[in-house]
Amino acid sequence: AEPQDNQTEKMENNHHEENKSRLKRRLDGYLNRREEYSTEDGDIIKSEFFADLSRPRMQYTYFPLVLLAFFERENFNEKMSMTDMVHYFGSFYQDRKHKGLVVEKVNSIFVKKNPTDVEIKRLILSNPLGRSCLVKYFKYDKKSDFVSLDKKLFASLSVSDVEKIVKLATELIQGYYMKLN
């Protein structure tokens, strides 16, 4: 018989591998769906986008924060510099910290320390732009360092759609912090 510690370690490793596999399948599905958008109407993409926003898998505030950073800009267009998104994230969490509010879960880089712009960018690219449903709609171009929204989705959005997105993202963040408190 194996010692208990080895059995526990094997079980944890199996669980970790299953999670990685599940996340990989989900991400592959998202990327395949993004490719399918090239043949679909913008209103169909918009409908799926709103459906995804109504049932996000949120472990942190990063998912809705991407939406606020992207859609609350003055000069709103289909592209946003990653630098601007990084600054939006940094400012959001610094503001919460200065107000004495809960910043994030204790294991977040925004709680543990004051992260650098490079660390914030890495976080954004890995999660939520790297593994959430947002990968279907947003694309990062390493060469230009811009995040862009699907062209057909962007073209189909009205002013009221953008207001609805901002409202949904704000409500997601408020709900998240209510649960976290």
Side-chain angles (χ1 to χ4, degrees), residues 148-159:
S148 60
L149 186 64
D150 178 88
K151 289 180 187 314
K152 289 182 181 181
L153 173 58
F154 178 78
S156 73
L157 293 173
S158 67
V159 171

Side-chain angles (χ1 to χ4, degrees), residues 142-177:
K142 196 175 197 175
K143 187 176 172 185
S144 68
D145 201 34
F146 272 78
V147 175
S148 60
L149 186 64
D150 178 88
K151 289 180 187 314
K152 289 182 181 181
L153 173 58
F154 178 78
S156 73
L157 293 173
S158 67
V159 171
S160 64
D161 289 331
V162 172
E163 289 169 351
K164 183 178 175 182
I165 292 165
V166 169
K167 183 177 185 267
L168 285 168
T170 302
E171 288 170 356
L172 286 171
I173 289 172
Q174 289 170 344
Y176 174 84
Y177 282 119

Side-chain angles (χ1 to χ4, degrees), residues 26-181:
R26 188 182 320 144
L27 179 58
D28 288 346
Y30 293 154
L31 293 172
N32 288 336
R33 188 69 186 121
R34 180 170 70 185
E35 288 176 23
E36 293 169 5
Y37 287 159
S38 65
T39 61
E40 290 187 4
D41 178 70
D43 287 333
I44 292 171
I45 300 168
K46 180 170 66 174
S47 175
E48 190 171 324
F49 179 70
F50 278 109
D52 281 338
L53 295 188
S54 70
R55 57 178 193 282
R57 293 179 165 105
M58 278 182 49
Q59 296 177 358
Y60 297 91
T61 50
Y62 311 148
F63 175 96
L65 207 53
V66 164
L67 299 173
L68 291 180
F70 197 88
F71 290 101
E72 280 193 320
R73 299 176 286 146
E74 275 187 42
N75 300 321
F76 175 65
N77 60 48
E78 69 188 61
K79 291 184 179 185
M80 176 181 196
S81 78
M82 179 54 82
T83 300
D84 288 347
M85 188 170 287
V86 164
H87 288 155
Y88 189 97
F89 267 64
S91 295
F92 176 84
Y93 294 110
Q94 280 289 31
D95 186 52
R96 288 192 65 83
K97 193 179 287 186
H98 287 291
K99 290 178 179 176
L101 300 170
V102 173
V103 176
E104 243 308 340
K105 289 181 182 176
V106 293
N107 58 344
S108 168
I109 65 170
F110 296 101
V111 173
K112 290 181 177 181
K113 58 182 180 167
N114 288 323
T116 65
D117 287 353
V118 170
E119 291 169 320
I120 296 171
K121 178 180 176 179
R122 192 177 309 125
L123 176 130
I124 293 168
L125 290 174
S126 68
N127 179 32
L129 291 183
R131 68 178 194 204
S132 76
C133 66
L134 293 181
V135 80
K136 292 191 283 187
Y137 311 103
F138 290 94
K139 192 181 238 177
Y140 173 67
D141 179 42
K142 196 175 197 175
K143 187 176 172 185
S144 68
D145 201 34
F146 272 78
V147 175
S148 60
L149 186 64
D150 178 88
K151 289 180 187 314
K152 289 182 181 181
L153 173 58
F154 178 78
S156 73
L157 293 173
S158 67
V159 171
S160 64
D161 289 331
V162 172
E163 289 169 351
K164 183 178 175 182
I165 292 165
V166 169
K167 183 177 185 267
L168 285 168
T170 302
E171 288 170 356
L172 286 171
I173 289 172
Q174 289 170 344
Y176 174 84
Y177 282 119
M178 283 176 58
K179 289 179 187 174
L180 204 56
N181 286 329

